[in-house]
Amino acid sequence: KNSAKAMEKELVTCSLQEKEKTAIDRSQIFQIPQRKDLETKVIVVLGKAGMGKSILVQKICQDWSNGEFSQFEFVFWFDCKQISLPEKQYSLKELLLEFFVKPQEGSKEIFEYILQNPAKVLLVFDGFKGLPDHENFSRCSASQPEKDLCSIKELLSGLIQKKILNGCTLLFTARPKDKLYQCVSKVDKTIEIVGFSPQQRELYITKYFEESPYCDRALKLIKEREYLFSHCYSPVMCRFVCFLCETVLEMGEKSLPSTLTEVFLKFFQQKIMLMQTDVPTTQNQESLATLARIAWCLGEKHQSAMKSDLLPSKEVKEFALKYGFFLPLALPRHSDSEEEEFGSTFSDFAIQNFLCALHLLLAEELKDKNLTKYLSFLSKKKKPYNWLDLMPQFLAGLMFLQDNPYFCSLSNEDAKQSTKKQKTLLKYIRRLQINTLCAERLLELLRCVYETQNNYLLQHVALRLEPDLSFLGIVLTPPDVHVLYSILRRSRKEFSLDLRNSSIDMQGLQALVSLRNVTSFRASLSDTVRLWKSLEQTKDYELLKVSAEKFVLDPFKAKTVKDISDLSDLVEMQEKMMNCAQDASGCTRYEIPAIRNLRKLEFALGPACGLQGLLKLVKILAAFPSLQHLDLDALSENGIGDEGAKCLSEVFPTLTSLETLNLSQNKITDLGAENLATALPSLSSLKTLSLYNNNICDFGAENLAKVLPAMTSLRVLDVQYNKITGVGAQQLTDSLRKCPHIKNLVMWNPTIPYGVLEHLQQLDSRISV
């Protein structure tokens, strides 16, 4: 089991330049290219609770002790729960050399060496939650900040602001929603732990049960509950599900619970029942209720740990430690003479979340109608209970499990109260304006309703979903996808889904697009192409064809070179499909409608990658026969220059449907304008041409003027903010007389004398200034 817990998880790093994601190995975590070694490096590991951030940093420390990461002579690992509990002041020396790892001798010399060689020091802060008062560093800004006494928050702030130990490496682990970036002005590398793939889930479960007599049955039993198997993408949840599966098999039961709430309800009941001695049931119920109240009080403050002497009674402490709900926590001390202090922390975030929900349900001071405010579907502000992100699901689930025998063993609440709370939730959701909820709130609603497993509620929500559902930029985890799939399948409506930048996995994407009532979808190109290649390999040509027909590309905005590469892959995929000769395997020839139907393409790569991206784009433009609008500005100043203009002009004859061409702010000079002018008449449908804010002079204006009469479809030409003088303006005006089809020529330039431009406008009212 231990080897299963420490299994490798895929790491993902975000490149700040192009915001692309690439998998990295653990050995690459500290590699920061093009970075000076003189200043503090900041590396952030993000991941939801339970993803294995702490396991990762512990493994890094272990690897270092075995000779890896040899650039560091000193590695200090701090659990932020431990160092933030005591409200005392410490010096940097105490933080590093007296809290947990005190040298037997030579502390002064070691500390001086550390100060002189900060590049050889790695400081790891596990579970960083932000510093609300990090700006106030005045108390540590004296002549020797490393030796001054400061609070933990001030010490962290000094390290981040490079006022203390400048040149060291800082590694933070945090949840994605924590206020990390408000504290850290510059992050050199961001890494995200994304959890287990389906194959890794199976491997974990197999390793967990490898020495068990239930090895063969366990994986089958868990996979039968697709919702629980989807939750196994989180290593901690996977461990919970495995524990429960083990218990179920030992008791001779045939199936697992169907929801996460039931899993934890049974987990608590089994933990207490298996270890039950001569303690009366009511005493356990009272201890559990007290522990639940503690969980809520800490959770409201975004905390999971407390000093042990603050616990209300010895019985509660013993109860929590005995059943594994609490873990002991050693707190740092100033000196050997100081009495050692201990704290307690919840053994797992999910346990604390479940106990918080249990408290809200059992607390006598909370009226039924007030329970729904903790679900917070209606709030447009940031969720007040963000840190307890599982709590609303557990709360909704528990409301409909109060007649469950496992719940009854944990609580002495009567049946009348439970029915009343169910009715409160039903009434609340019936009144919800579901069509007004933003994507995040809608997902939260779907999760909570699914946990109730109440057919009326599930059907009610399914019938009131909007036909156009956008999850653009909202992370969809495997459990989210399962819930969405289950509820969409209940509805008689047809849906259009936007799943771009949702981090949806391939299995989830395949499930959603296979639904009959999902008639169209948008998804990241790379995800879509990966899905189609997978379907091709498995010879599922029917789903491949159906999903290709549902895929929507228009309008498409390219922001990175990878976007252009993905678009090229899509075109290549179509060519492969079109060239596919029908054979015994069932492969048939067909095209991807999204390519045929693309009408608007925006190009927003910026000056750093503009030309590089355009050179890739022009190779595939001919594949889009319906392209009407090509925007090579998109407020990004792509700077394709004359080289880009020349390459683009060479494919003009293939763009027979193009109506709007925007080449604004691209550093095009007379040379580029000349190349464009030669090919522009071949754009037989062009109505609007914008060359706004380039570097075109009179020679370029002259070449444009020569071809205007041949551009019979053109209605609007914009050459504002170039370097055209009165000479070029006159040539364009003379040409305009031969072009009755043109309705508007916009050509204000700072280099044209105002009187000249005013005179030309009087000659032809189609000229705008």
Side-chain angles (χ1 to χ4, degrees):
K1 294 179 188 177
N2 288 334
S3 64
K5 290 177 196 175
M7 254 176 55
E8 291 290 324
K9 283 168 283 294
E10 185 180 20
L11 298 178
V12 170
T13 180
C14 299
S15 158
L16 297 177
Q17 184 184 357
E18 295 195 357
K19 298 176 184 175
E20 297 170 14
K21 291 185 175 181
T22 50
I24 66 166
D25 187 73
R26 193 172 62 247
S27 62
Q28 298 173 286
I29 287 176
F30 300 105
Q31 293 175 8
I32 304 174
Q34 299 176 342
R35 180 72 168 79
K36 293 180 180 178
D37 291 329
L38 301 176
E39 288 199 334
T40 296
K41 300 179 187 70
V42 179
I43 299 167
V44 174
V45 176
L46 296 176
K48 288 189 171 184
M51 280 296 172
K53 301 182 294 295
S54 297
I55 292 287
L56 173 66
V57 295
Q58 288 169 29
K59 186 71 172 79
I60 288 170
C61 294
Q62 184 186 46
D63 288 347
W64 171 78
S65 70
N66 291 329
E68 293 186 42
F69 308 117
S70 56
Q71 66 268 40
F72 303 117
E73 290 187 23
F74 297 90
V75 174
F76 299 94
W77 173 76
F78 301 101
D79 183 338
C80 287
K81 292 194 295 286
Q82 287 177 293
I83 61 174
S84 59
L85 269 185
E87 296 174 0
K88 298 177 182 178
Q89 291 190 335
Y90 305 94
S91 68
L92 180 65
K93 182 180 177 183
E94 288 173 329
L95 180 71
L96 300 183
L97 300 180
E98 293 189 23
F99 270 5
F100 306 113
V101 193
K102 187 171 182 179
Q104 292 182 349
E105 57 183 20
S107 291
K108 183 179 178 182
E109 291 78 8
I110 292 171
F111 185 60
E112 287 300 324
Y113 183 84
I114 287 172
L115 292 182
Q116 291 167 20
N117 298 275
K120 297 178 180 180
V121 179
L122 169 64
L123 300 176
V124 180
F125 294 96
D126 189 18
F128 186 72
K129 295 186 180 70
L131 304 171
D133 53 353
H134 71 282
E135 301 91 348
N136 301 322
F137 189 61
S138 56
R139 296 174 68 181
C140 295
S141 56
S143 57
Q144 292 183 307
E146 287 86 355
K147 298 177 182 178
D148 291 339
L149 289 177
C150 307
S151 69
I152 288 296
K153 288 181 179 180
E154 286 174 327
L155 272 174
L156 282 173
S157 182
L159 288 164
I160 290 166
Q161 294 178 28
K162 304 172 186 176
K163 295 182 179 179
I164 293 179
L165 209 61
N166 186 19
C168 68
T169 299
L170 301 175
L171 177 63
F172 295 98
T173 73
R175 298 187 192 180
K177 293 177 182 176
D178 285 336
K179 298 178 180 179
L180 181 70
Y181 289 99
Q182 294 179 19
C183 312
V184 185
S185 58
K186 184 180 179 185
V187 174
D188 295 291
K189 195 169 195 174
T190 303
I191 298 163
E192 184 180 3
I193 302 182
V194 296
F196 291 150
S197 67
Q199 295 76 22
Q200 288 171 322
R201 291 177 226 166
E202 290 191 22
L203 180 59
Y204 185 109
I205 295 164
T206 304
K207 282 185 174 288
Y208 187 100
F209 287 98
E210 65 185 350
E211 296 177 7
S212 164
Y214 310 112
C215 185
D216 296 331
R217 293 167 58 196
L219 180 60
K220 183 175 180 291
L221 199 64
I222 293 171
K223 289 186 75 173
E224 281 174 0
R225 291 296 191 191
E226 293 179 14
Y227 181 55
L228 296 189
F229 185 64
S230 73
H231 269 292
C232 289
Y233 90 103
S234 163
V236 161
M237 288 301 186
C238 202
R239 178 164 51 86
F240 272 112
V241 171
C242 287
F243 168 83
L244 188 63
C245 181
E246 194 173 25
T247 305
V248 163
L249 289 168
E250 285 171 355
M251 294 174 68
E253 296 180 21
K254 302 292 185 185
S255 63
L256 288 169
S258 57
T259 68
L260 206 59
T261 310
E262 286 180 280
V263 165
F264 276 83
L265 195 56
K266 196 161 186 175
F267 170 80
F268 270 77
Q269 197 267 350
Q270 290 298 321
K271 273 274 188 182
I272 294 172
M273 188 181 78
L274 288 172
M275 300 178 71
Q276 186 82 47
T277 52
D278 54 351
V279 181
T281 302
T282 52
Q283 186 176 327
N284 274 341
Q285 289 175 347
E286 288 170 7
S287 295
L288 190 63
T290 305
L291 193 61
R293 190 181 307 113
I294 292 168
W296 175 249
C297 292
L298 289 175
E300 280 196 300
K301 296 182 281 189
H302 289 201
Q303 294 175 359
S304 58
M306 65 188 298
K307 292 181 181 179
S308 292
D309 57 8
L310 296 178
L311 286 166
S313 69
K314 182 182 176 183
E315 288 76 21
V316 171
K317 180 181 176 182
E318 288 178 352
F319 170 83
L321 291 170
K322 177 181 178 181
Y323 297 125
F325 306 140
F326 259 178
L327 292 175
L329 195 69
L331 300 181
R333 52 181 179 170
H334 268 299
S335 61
D336 292 335
S337 60
E338 194 174 286
E339 189 175 340
E340 192 166 8
E341 278 189 288
F342 288 94
S344 298
T345 180
F346 282 97
S347 56
D348 186 83
F349 83 100
I351 285 176
Q352 186 178 0
N353 273 253
F354 183 84
L355 286 170
C356 285
L358 191 63
H359 167 71
L360 293 175
L361 209 61
L362 300 180
E364 294 179 4
E365 66 270 19
L366 280 175
K367 295 182 179 178
D368 298 336
K369 64 180 181 180
N370 290 336
L371 278 178
T372 53
K373 78 177 184 180
Y374 297 107
L375 302 175
S376 67
F377 303 135
L378 292 173
S379 173
K380 292 183 180 178
K381 298 179 181 178
K382 189 175 180 182
K383 274 182 14 183
Y385 307 107
N386 230 344
W387 199 69
L388 299 168
D389 50 2
L390 287 176
M391 184 269 293
Q393 298 168 58
F394 284 140
L395 179 58
L398 285 171
M399 283 184 186
F400 283 81
L401 285 173
Q402 289 172 288
D403 55 352
N404 182 295
Y406 295 126
F407 182 83
C408 295
S409 70
L410 300 179
S411 157
N412 55 9
E413 190 172 66
D414 60 54
K416 287 182 181 178
Q417 281 293 100
S418 65
T419 306
K420 196 175 177 184
K421 285 169 181 172
Q422 285 178 17
K423 287 180 179 177
T424 300
L425 182 61
L426 285 166
K427 186 177 179 181
Y428 173 69
I429 291 179
R430 274 202 303 266
R431 288 181 173 180
L432 266 182
Q433 297 286 321
I434 293 175
N435 60 336
T436 65
L437 297 179
C438 68
E440 284 182 294
R441 298 290 180 268
L442 177 62
L443 264 182
E444 188 64 58
L445 171 66
L446 299 184
R447 293 177 193 128
C448 291
V449 168
Y450 188 87
E451 281 293 324
T452 69
Q453 286 296 291
N454 179 274
N455 282 321
Y456 169 78
L457 276 181
L458 288 164
Q459 196 66 27
H460 173 84
V461 171
L463 294 174
R464 282 158 182 77
L465 289 175
E466 287 289 286
D468 294 321
L469 292 175
S470 174
F471 298 98
L472 176 64
I474 305 296
V475 173
L476 290 174
T477 64
D480 291 337
V481 173
H482 179 88
V483 168
L484 184 60
Y485 173 86
S486 303
I487 292 176
L488 289 179
R489 194 171 55 175
R490 286 175 166 265
S491 181
R492 295 188 293 269
K493 288 183 180 178
E494 291 186 343
F495 293 98
S496 174
L497 303 180
D498 190 345
L499 305 170
R500 288 173 295 169
N501 301 326
S502 64
S503 300
I504 188 170
D505 64 15
M506 191 174 69
Q507 290 74 17
L509 181 60
Q510 179 175 336
L512 291 177
V513 304
S514 66
L515 284 170
R516 288 180 180 273
N517 58 341
V518 171
T519 55
S520 67
F521 75 97
R522 299 200 68 158
S524 299
L525 283 182
S526 54
D527 293 339
T528 307
V529 171
R530 196 179 303 119
L531 170 64
W532 289 345
K533 286 181 178 178
S534 171
L535 293 174
E536 192 177 46
Q537 287 172 1
T538 56
K539 295 187 172 8
D540 192 346
Y541 296 115
E542 184 58 35
L543 182 54
L544 175 56
K545 184 176 180 180
V546 168
S547 61
E549 288 170 352
K550 292 180 179 183
F551 180 62
V552 175
L553 185 61
D554 183 58
F556 181 72
K557 186 170 185 175
K559 295 181 178 179
T560 70
V561 173
K562 186 177 183 299
D563 289 338
I564 303 296
S565 298
D566 291 341
L567 195 60
S568 299
D569 289 344
L570 189 70
V571 171
E572 185 183 330
M573 189 86 187
Q574 169 162 280
E575 290 172 356
K576 193 173 181 181
M577 290 175 176
M578 293 294 288
N579 295 329
C580 173
Q582 184 150 5
D583 55 29
S585 66
C587 175
T588 55
R589 293 179 60 183
Y590 58 92
E591 64 178 350
I592 300 171
I595 291 179
R596 183 183 67 240
N597 297 330
L598 180 65
R599 287 174 170 77
K600 183 176 181 180
L601 197 160
E602 292 182 80
F603 184 89
L605 271 66
C609 304
L611 178 59
Q612 178 192 354
L614 182 75
L615 297 180
K616 283 177 173 280
L617 179 64
V618 293
K619 294 176 183 177
I620 57 169
L621 279 177
F624 307 105
S626 303
L627 187 64
Q628 295 177 348
H629 189 143
L630 180 57
D631 186 350
L632 292 171
D633 171 23
L635 303 178
S636 298
E637 299 188 13
N638 295 299
I640 66 170
D642 294 335
E643 185 182 350
K646 182 177 183 296
C647 291
L648 181 64
S649 64
E650 290 170 358
V651 299
F652 280 174
T654 65
L655 305 179
T656 54
S657 300
L658 194 66
E659 296 180 357
T660 301
L661 177 59
N662 185 356
L663 292 168
S664 301
Q665 308 190 101
N666 270 298
K667 299 181 180 176
I668 297 170
T669 70
D670 283 346
L671 180 61
E674 183 181 14
N675 287 317
L676 288 170
T678 305
L680 279 169
S682 63
L683 293 172
S684 55
S685 302
L686 191 66
K687 293 179 180 178
T688 302
L689 173 62
S690 177
L691 290 161
Y692 169 90
N693 198 18
N694 280 288
N695 298 317
I696 299 170
C697 302
D698 291 337
F699 180 70
E702 180 185 349
N703 281 296
L704 290 171
K706 286 177 183 177
V707 298
L708 284 183
M711 298 172 67
T712 54
S713 62
L714 192 68
R715 298 294 179 266
V716 177
L717 173 64
D718 186 349
V719 289
Q720 287 186 97
Y721 288 93
N722 279 277
K723 296 180 180 178
I724 300 169
T725 69
V727 175
Q730 184 65 59
Q731 289 171 321
L732 286 168
T733 304
D734 292 343
S735 180
L736 192 59
R737 291 174 188 161
K738 305 169 192 174
C739 305
H741 52 276
I742 294 181
K743 295 180 178 179
N744 194 9
L745 173 59
V746 189
M747 65 171 179
W748 186 90
N749 276 255
T751 46
I752 302 174
Y754 181 74
V756 172
L757 196 57
E758 192 177 42
H759 171 67
L760 295 176
Q761 189 185 27
Q762 288 171 354
L763 293 176
D764 196 323
S765 60
R766 293 175 293 172
I767 297 174
S768 299
V769 295

